[in-house]
Amino acid sequence: MDHLDRLIELALDEDLGAAGDVTTSALVPPELRGTGTLLAKEPMVLAGLDAFARVFRRVDPRCTVEFLVPDGARVEAGTLVARLQGPLRGLLIAERTALNLMQRACGIATLSAEAADKVKGTKLKVLDTRKTAPGMRGLEKASVRAGGASNHRFGLFDGVLIKDNHIAAVGGSIRTALERARAHAPRLVKIEIEVTNLDQLREAIDAGADVVMLDNMDDALLREAVAIAGGKVPLEASGGITLERLPRLADIGVDFVSMGALTHSARAMDLSLNLDTSAS
Amino acid sequence: MDHLDRLIELALDEDLGAAGDVTTSALVPPELRGTGTLLAKEPMVLAGLDAFARVFRRVDPRCTVEFLVPDGARVEAGTLVARLQGPLRGLLIAERTALNLMQRACGIATLSAEAADKVKGTKLKVLDTRKTAPGMRGLEKASVRAGGASNHRFGLFDGVLIKDNHIAAVGGSIRTALERARAHAPRLVKIEIEVTNLDQLREAIDAGADVVMLDNMDDALLREAVAIAGGKVPLEASGGITLERLPRLADIGVDFVSMGALTHSARAMDLSLNLDTSAS
Amino acid sequence: MDHLDRLIELALDEDLGAAGDVTTSALVPPELRGTGTLLAKEPMVLAGLDAFARVFRRVDPRCTVEFLVPDGARVEAGTLVARLQGPLRGLLIAERTALNLMQRACGIATLSAEAADKVKGTKLKVLDTRKTAPGMRGLEKASVRAGGASNHRFGLFDGVLIKDNHIAAVGGSIRTALERARAHAPRLVKIEIEVTNLDQLREAIDAGADVVMLDNMDDALLREAVAIAGGKVPLEASGGITLERLPRLADIGVDFVSMGALTHSARAMDLSLNLDTSAS
Amino acid sequence: MDHLDRLIELALDEDLGAAGDVTTSALVPPELRGTGTLLAKEPMVLAGLDAFARVFRRVDPRCTVEFLVPDGARVEAGTLVARLQGPLRGLLIAERTALNLMQRACGIATLSAEAADKVKGTKLKVLDTRKTAPGMRGLEKASVRAGGASNHRFGLFDGVLIKDNHIAAVGGSIRTALERARAHAPRLVKIEIEVTNLDQLREAIDAGADVVMLDNMDDALLREAVAIAGGKVPLEASGGITLERLPRLADIGVDFVSMGALTHSARAMDLSLNLDTSAS
Amino acid sequence: MDHLDRLIELALDEDLGAAGDVTTSALVPPELRGTGTLLAKEPMVLAGLDAFARVFRRVDPRCTVEFLVPDGARVEAGTLVARLQGPLRGLLIAERTALNLMQRACGIATLSAEAADKVKGTKLKVLDTRKTAPGMRGLEKASVRAGGASNHRFGLFDGVLIKDNHIAAVGGSIRTALERARAHAPRLVKIEIEVTNLDQLREAIDAGADVVMLDNMDDALLREAVAIAGGKVPLEASGGITLERLPRLADIGVDFVSMGALTHSARAMDLSLNLDTSAS
Amino acid sequence: MDHLDRLIELALDEDLGAAGDVTTSALVPPELRGTGTLLAKEPMVLAGLDAFARVFRRVDPRCTVEFLVPDGARVEAGTLVARLQGPLRGLLIAERTALNLMQRACGIATLSAEAADKVKGTKLKVLDTRKTAPGMRGLEKASVRAGGASNHRFGLFDGVLIKDNHIAAVGGSIRTALERARAHAPRLVKIEIEVTNLDQLREAIDAGADVVMLDNMDDALLREAVAIAGGKVPLEASGGITLERLPRLADIGVDFVSMGALTHSARAMDLSLNLDTSAS
């Protein structure tokens, strides 16, 4: 069972418990079938389609979901996104959990697209962070990609990111931190280091960092950093990033900018599932 | 293992996998201890303290978290919220997952408080919905209460809520739906029914609904509904609710108003965890 | 995986372990197919059909079970209840676990029917309790309904039931307990309170209890309680209830009577599964 | 997590779900402590003490249970069995699940003792079967031993028991079945075979069965079987066994008798847990 | 989920984590299908076919594996063992985990066959031990059988094996140990006891052991032991057993010899999976 | 529960099932305590100490293990490695599973040390592969490090490794494969590509591979490859690597060599656990 299936099982467990959907049990005969249409109620970028469909199949394998537009599509308000059919009980039980996943995914994709649009045509890439809803890392990272932004490392395992506490732990030297990371880190992961001033940046470049993260620097400082790096090492701006600031950062010439807000503060998109009892 | 522990295990699994935190493994000796302070970086209502602490204890039972203010406290920017100590490795590994949980919880509590403040001194209660992040139902519902708003039913099992699809499934009659629910639903749960016009409201009251949800009605219609109900049955306004509209709804005299936004669109609060290598 | 599937997995785990059915492995070739008939060996009310079939499907998805009579049917000794077919190994491995579930379910349904029959035509409803076999709550509650009796709350989450310890915890006042429950309990659950004398009953009614449980009262006292309640609040008699006493309780006029024995002391019904090697 | 812990987790899950004990949450402050006494309300043989205590510790590790009498003790009505203390919330939440396990365990131990007493002083051993409540195999088998009766094999893995279907699967020959079992079964398990008539018994003895089960034979037939076996192989009587018949079976001279009723039809014993808010 | 499925899930979890196969995600379109052939690259005895196929089905149920030779077959270098087809992504993701299982299984089967061949035509049976890779007990025991050797007990539950620590625990007497085991062990398991000298052997035979294990005895001592046992009880030689010594042990006349090396020190067989993008 | 704990739970489950250690239950009183010493019976490099200790603590938290030498230590035959104490039942039950883990870990560490020693003082690093026992990836990789060799990527998630099937999937071009990987792979992982001839090597270097794996090349070809690479990109030799060939590879000048045998074909080291009933 993969991580998304574990999350869906957990979500259904908390919504149903052992007692189940008491309204549906009381009112909907098990043999009744239904159909449904999923509509976008506002303009958005779609994401989370597979997650949406999995919830229905898990509740009742006889439920089917047919998507009319793919992940990553930019749709207008009123767009018909999917058609569903299956036992009405299953459709009703799965509805809320499926929407909770997909509305959040679409919210992230839409905000990511807004960010990516700000830097279109430049070399600047907008990255997400590890500030994701617990259990939804994979889905949220896929939603960021669906919106046209890029992923930072997935977790603590697929990239070295040296922060102030790590540097302090080896005695305060950026060089020592980079050397020790190089010696002990997995062979195929790159080493990024976070710096807060230009001296640290110089030391990091000098000691061979693969990527440098510039923490909470203003535009002037970032501009100096770009000059110092001179294209020898990719630079990532991080901290205090707003949508408005993105074009300026592209102009300054950093390579990456990471924004926690893409995942931790996206609002849910308005999607509506209309169900009907099917004629059958 | 309760539902929150399952979510924390899932979150740590996706962040660590089998390979773990490669940066910390490379740079932080296992015997190094650390201390930390958790600061509120903006005004907020606190929530999720227990979840925050559990993450650290799960990563390493030797980590301790001491809270200086309780769930539900309204704090200013700069407030010291908690002190931590334990093996530095554990503190670093747990940090992001713990913050992801707590920042979201505080965001919900803060938004809930804002909503609750709008109707303070009136009988109107602001309710959450089932539009919660998958796996976080319990934590999000507690955050709503921490902010001073109230909980709607927890899941599909602890309350009957009859919607249009349920009414259609029994042939379209509100009375039939209510009678069948009364006959088959668990003995100690109340029966709420969603209506979209005043005729349905009259039929619902007549047939003995315990609570009536007024779906997407404008202020004028809600006012008529309150007159019709005449205090015989509690009324809940739902759909298209904004913070701005809340005082008007209180004035109109409905008993409850439910807002999906409390949970599905709260932004993460800015909390900062500062770690230090401890002297010892 | 729902709660019944978890129970079935646990039951098969304890019966098979990692080493499996050593008799069947040694003697039954994997390609051999079998058929079976499930017979009621004594009069009974059927229940647990789905649970019975799930065990076979879990052991081997190629096993099929066709039921000839539904849950809730009252059958005579000798009734053919189901036909099975599938790989003989699977049929043999699943047999005992499937029967263990179904014999217990039928026992509960049969005892529940006996109780329900005693009060047929009256308004008195016979309720179960939470005294169920661990892990079998859902199956046992469904068996009670199959027999024609009714369910009390499912668990600790779908109804407030205030007992002496809860009253003591708030300082001893029934009114305080009811008020606090009203303020803090989920919005759609009713509040029942247990009383042991008529003064408490009066206080509970006065303070607005939704249901009152009369604990261990004799017939005379119950009669007085019914007079006091005067139809304003439903009454539940509990404690020391026997089948023989049920008609008298109906006559006295309480609304509900709860019996732990329905689930905790029903004996297993005699069902027999006859397997044959099929000609194939 | 062992099988009993898995069962306890499942039982608490179905009783609490994600929403928890809404009565206790509303009325019992988390800091309140309680004490309790567990009383036997009728004469019984004790069993399930460890299971009882584990439920409390799992709900809250601060709960402690001190037993005053051990598993297997025969106690009178009114005996004080255990003292408990801990947070009152934990005691209240665990109470019902713990009692459900222990009352069933004591019921089985008490019935087993009644059976064992019938054959006291003879060589006849009363055995249980695999007819146990799903998930409770280990606890029920321990309860049988606590009552003084003996265990048949635990599951399908720790003994070969050849029944009619197995014999049919190898072509109908008892000798072939025994030879094949000998060749393929695990090296340290014995081979028992079920026979329904005396010819089969002779063939089974001749072919070297380790134990022979005599299925549904009347007393006269059993007597002949004992004469035929002549002590060369242990005999087990099975099917249609009542408590009343046990002394006669001892007199006839079979070695074992197995009774499904020991586990599948024992009634729950009456145990009562009295809780108090502790002074502290 | 059985034990092998749990192991496969664990193995895929550690290989994929939540982030998945980043190479395949980047380069292989999801709709691309592939075919594969599994070749033996050296002479070997096949085992683990079902485990191999299960990994592919678990990764993607659309993957199919068709075996051309069965478990237990002795094949030459170059033998085509299986054909696979399915989505190329699934084939690539499952490949390594499936091979890891099967190469180990074939290694054990091949070494077991080598051992079994050494004693062919004699009554001596070569047994495995519990020295298996954690989680692979069932697969490794099946591989031993596929190679033509035999299984000792599966685990701690399906046979009594009394060692020096057990004898010490009852006060040092072999007779006491055997009697207590007889009294308390499950009814259908045999009792084996480990002895280190001939006096202990005599005592064990005298006290009725079902099997005696001769621990670390040289050939001369084993010969004496066989004479003492005189066929009254089966003897197992254990400790310091090499392939070379097996024919001598057969000649000496012990009944069983157990070799930990069959499972703990078999090397992986060379099997090669060649995948192709299918024309489709 | 981390991956190693899941493996230990699985291993104990298969060894104990629901029925447990029947020998120990019959013969060892629960209150008896024991002590133990763990001895190396041959020269070896130690690894797996934590895994060894965890098994005992999981079986019974009262068991303690004190190590006298650390992971990575090279010890002589006869070295006292650890002292244990705890309830004798727990020590006996955990013994085999703990040894199975540690003997395998030490086998891998010892073989890894042998390989590392062959290239000591050169820049050549000996790497492991993903050919590990299912469920033991983390333990086996740590054992490789304990022996002084290095780890290749942990799983499919922490490094891109492009093989022939991936190249074919993008149409056969090495350049296309590298470009697509660069565009789609996680930002902090490096890209390694497998080549089988020198033209492919040139193309890979030209297209900017981070590392190149030279598949199954003989010494002459490898020498040419080193010349072509000229230090611009690290080279890894893979396929057909033996211990004997390692010094030659170091001399040739490749940077890495990967050996599946380190993990898939190490034999178990001889470690012996001697238990005693403790005086107390």
Side-chain angles (χ1 to χ4, degrees), chain D residues 6 125 127 151-153 157-161 182-183 186-192 210-211 236 256, chain E residues 6 125 127 151-153 157-161 182-183 186-192 210-211 236 256:
Chain D
R6 282 171 62 188
K125 286 193 171 170
L127 302 175
N151 296 150
H152 209 296
R153 60 176 178 168
F157 51 80
D158 64 340
V160 168
L161 179 42
R182 184 84 56 214
R187 198 174 60 107
L188 291 182
V189 303
K190 293 183 181 170
I191 298 172
E192 176 167 7
D210 292 317
V211 188
E236 171 186 344
F256 300 104
Chain E
R6 281 172 61 189
K125 286 193 170 168
L127 301 175
N151 297 148
H152 208 297
R153 60 177 178 168
F157 51 80
D158 64 341
V160 168
L161 178 42
R182 183 84 57 215
R187 199 174 58 107
L188 291 182
V189 303
K190 293 183 180 170
I191 297 172
E192 177 167 4
D210 292 316
V211 187
E236 171 186 344
F256 301 103

Side-chain angles (χ1 to χ4, degrees), chain B residues 6 125 127 151-154 157-161 182-183 186-192 210-211 236 256, chain C residues 6 125 127 151-154 157-161 182-183 186-192 210-211 236 256:
Chain B
R6 282 171 62 188
K125 286 193 172 170
L127 301 175
N151 296 148
H152 208 297
R153 60 177 177 167
F154 190 97
F157 51 82
D158 64 340
V160 168
L161 178 42
R182 184 84 57 215
R187 198 173 59 106
L188 291 181
V189 302
K190 293 183 181 170
I191 298 173
E192 177 166 7
D210 292 317
V211 187
E236 171 185 345
F256 300 103
Chain C
R6 282 171 62 188
K125 286 194 171 169
L127 302 175
N151 296 150
H152 210 296
R153 60 177 177 167
F154 191 96
F157 51 81
D158 64 340
V160 168
L161 179 41
R182 184 83 58 214
R187 197 174 59 108
L188 291 181
V189 304
K190 294 183 181 170
I191 298 172
E192 177 166 7
D210 292 316
V211 188
E236 172 185 344
F256 300 104

Side-chain angles (χ1 to χ4, degrees), chain C residues 228-269:
Chain C
I228 288 166
K232 288 189 299 274
V233 60
L235 298 179
E236 172 185 344
S238 177
I241 310 297
T242 57
L243 287 177
E244 292 65 36
R245 202 179 162 200
L246 289 177
R248 230 155 54 232
L249 292 171
D251 180 65
I252 287 169
V254 294
D255 304 272
F256 300 104
V257 55
S258 53
M259 294 181 67
L262 293 190
T263 49
H264 74 45
S265 294
R267 68 174 179 83
M269 287 292 107

Side-chain angles (χ1 to χ4, degrees), chain E residues 40-96:
Chain E
K41 303 291 288 279
E42 59 180 324
M44 69 183 70
V45 179
L46 292 178
L49 274 58
D50 171 57
F52 180 86
R54 277 202 215 186
V55 176
F56 287 92
R57 286 197 304 264
R58 187 168 191 89
V59 166
D60 190 325
R62 294 167 296 176
C63 292
T64 61
V65 182
E66 179 204 1
F67 286 101
L68 308 174
V69 271
D71 268 328
R74 300 188 174 209
V75 300
E76 292 311 304
T79 303
L80 176 60
V81 175
R83 290 187 207 280
L84 297 87
Q85 59 178 358
L88 184 59
R89 282 191 166 189
L91 296 176
L92 284 165
I93 289 170
E95 175 182 11
R96 185 71 264 142

Side-chain angles (χ1 to χ4, degrees), chain F residues 193-214:
Chain F
I193 190 163
E194 185 186 83
V195 302
T196 55
N197 61 49
L198 301 180
D199 283 348
Q200 287 186 319
L201 171 61
R202 284 186 199 95
E203 190 180 351
I205 294 172
D206 206 47
D210 292 317
V211 188
V212 179
M213 177 187 284
L214 307 166

